Amino acid sequence: MKITGLRTRPLEVPFPEPIATSIHRIDGAAVLAVWLETDAGITGESYLWTIGAHRLPVLDAMVHSLFGTVRGHDARDTEALGTKIWREINFLGHKGVTIFAMSALDWACWDIRGKAAEMSVSRLLGRVRDRVPAYASGGLWASRDIPALEREAGELVARGFRAVKMRVGLPDIGEDLERVAAVRNAIGSGVCLMADANQGLDVHHAVRLGRGLDRLDLSWFEEPLQAYDLAGSARVAAEIDTPVASGETEYTRYGFLDMIDRGSADILMPDLERVGGVSEWLKVAHMAAARDIPVSPHLFTEHCLQLCGAVANVSWAEHMPWFEPLFREQVEFVDGDLLVPDRPGMGFSFDPDAIGRFALTPERRA
């Protein structure tokens, strides 16, 4: 089943209104759709995303530059192809856009593997579950005032979510704690609450805020510091009782090994496009399992369900609706859980009408 062709197309999915974190303002999701073709007529799909469509040409160029490394090889040989790509990117390095491109190709190959076997990827890997607890991540932004937070939190619980995540990281610690307390009161003690600082704090601020959050029974305090400050994150994790979750901006198993060795997080959050694709995501999850560390995938809700279905130490799935308009299929949400689809491959496929509607430029072929 040789790889014969590559198609990509830049898209932009606008949000109903802009959202804000402690360090970002986001108006929409800029997406690079990827199709990897084979001589057996099976096409694997994947995608990358970024903040700002002006960055998409860089990702597109990197994906196309690596295509020659995999062209003509069997798409099912994911480990061999990953090894070839790893050697190819040595000169440019093993972080950043090189890994984004590696992820897109690896992920598409896993989609092909599942389709060729007429099995879902989770079934191919050996399923451990067919549903996973979900936390609502698509709301409770830093730009909301307290009445809006209370209203939105109540709506999420009414929809059936048993866990919700809000954003923190304002300059005033007291204001942050007031906002978190308001949400905790709105959802009650029976619903799990997470807080995400989106890398917006320094160590001193994070420790002070974290100690205040300790009184509000949070499931985790996410990304208090910049991703590169692993030593600082370890200090925060050691000085507060609330578990620290991090890793969405970390690259490959080597980056996560460093996080584990330093004690930088109690919960690891590998991101499918930054970690290196499905193959590398699985290595990180299994490495974490050897230390009894839970993992929770970052973003890519639809496709990460296959990983949640196959990995025993996944704690929560992130429910983020940003990319839902792109797919023919929709996630199934029942009693606070996301169901793991058992369709061949990664379980979701691009809707051609949506691709045309959100496209920024014509398709590029190789």
Side-chain angles (χ1 to χ4, degrees):
M1 189 169 297
K2 292 183 179 180
I3 296 170
T4 56
L6 171 70
R7 294 183 285 122
T8 57
R9 196 165 193 185
L11 320 169
E12 189 163 29
V13 183
F15 295 160
E17 60 179 301
I19 59 175
T21 71
S22 61
I23 62 171
H24 292 127
R25 173 190 165 91
I26 313 175
D27 298 307
V31 172
L32 182 70
V34 176
W35 295 266
L36 199 62
E37 299 169 337
T38 68
D39 61 2
I42 297 176
T43 298
E45 296 182 352
S46 65
Y47 69 98
L48 303 173
W49 93 279
T50 183
I51 298 174
H54 61 287
R55 297 186 173 96
L56 290 175
V58 176
L59 299 182
D60 191 32
M62 196 71 237
V63 171
H64 278 269
S65 78
L66 291 183
F67 175 61
T69 307
V70 300
R71 187 202 297 264
H73 294 276
D74 195 315
R76 296 167 296 186
D77 295 339
T78 47
E79 193 66 20
L81 294 177
T83 300
K84 285 177 64 67
I85 292 173
W86 190 259
R87 291 171 179 163
E88 175 67 20
I89 63 177
N90 174 268
F91 183 79
L92 292 179
H94 297 97
K95 289 191 174 186
V97 296
T98 57
I99 301 301
F100 276 58
M102 174 179 170
S103 298
L105 296 173
D106 175 83
W107 171 356
C109 283
W110 275 95
D111 192 35
I112 292 168
R113 282 185 65 171
K115 290 173 178 175
E118 298 184 348
M119 299 171 67
S120 64
V121 167
S122 59
R123 189 73 64 185
L124 198 63
L125 292 168
R127 275 195 168 199
V128 70
R129 60 167 71 89
D130 60 10
R131 58 198 297 159
V132 59
Y135 69 91
S137 186
L140 306 178
W141 298 100
S143 48
R144 305 281 198 267
D145 60 19
I146 286 179
L149 289 172
E150 292 172 328
R151 182 170 58 254
E152 189 172 16
E155 291 169 353
L156 290 169
V157 173
R159 287 174 54 192
F161 284 102
R162 299 196 301 266
V164 300
K165 185 170 80 176
M166 64 180 297
R167 274 66 182 182
V168 297
L170 301 179
D172 185 334
I173 291 175
E175 185 179 359
D176 253 344
L177 292 174
E178 182 182 6
R179 292 160 61 85
V180 178
V183 172
R184 166 52 75 201
N185 185 60
I187 64 177
S189 59
V191 176
C192 294
L193 178 60
M194 297 87 162
D196 187 353
N198 294 106
Q199 304 181 46
L201 309 177
D202 60 30
V203 172
H204 178 67
H205 190 138
V207 170
R208 290 181 59 209
L209 176 58
R211 287 173 177 165
L213 295 175
D214 284 343
R215 301 191 292 271
L216 295 170
D217 187 27
L218 266 64
S219 296
W220 71 55
F221 182 20
E222 186 174 333
E223 285 206 307
L225 308 183
Q226 288 285 335
Y228 51 74
D229 190 2
L230 299 183
S233 186
R235 285 178 56 192
V236 176
E239 294 195 33
I240 68 174
D241 294 330
T242 301
V244 169
S246 191
E248 68 183 64
T249 321
E250 192 54 83
Y251 293 88
T252 78
R253 62 191 182 274
Y254 297 106
F256 279 93
L257 179 60
D258 198 11
M259 289 185 69
I260 291 171
D261 286 345
R262 290 171 180 259
S264 298
D266 303 291
I267 300 156
L268 300 182
M269 309 186 81
D271 175 280
L272 194 53
E273 74 177 357
R274 287 196 180 98
V275 76
V278 172
S279 298
E280 203 74 4
W281 197 102
L282 290 168
K283 289 172 184 175
V284 168
H286 294 153
M287 184 168 60
R291 304 284 187 93
D292 293 320
I293 297 173
V295 299
S296 179
H298 177 247
L299 290 185
F300 304 102
T301 297
E302 290 81 5
H303 295 79
C304 281
L305 286 174
Q306 294 303 315
L307 305 177
C308 292
V311 173
N313 56 321
V314 168
S315 55
W316 294 92
E318 180 173 20
H319 181 271
M320 180 60 82
W322 289 352
F323 309 109
E324 286 179 357
L326 295 176
F327 305 112
R328 290 189 179 100
E329 307 83 3
Q330 297 298 301
V331 295
E332 296 182 73
F333 180 66
V334 178
D335 297 331
D337 294 339
L338 289 173
L339 305 189
V340 180
D342 206 13
R343 297 182 290 269
M346 296 298 288
F348 290 86
S349 56
F350 290 129
D351 178 350
D353 291 338
I355 296 298
R357 188 164 66 252
F358 297 122
L360 297 175
T361 63
E363 201 173 75
R364 180 181 177 189
R365 295 174 177 266

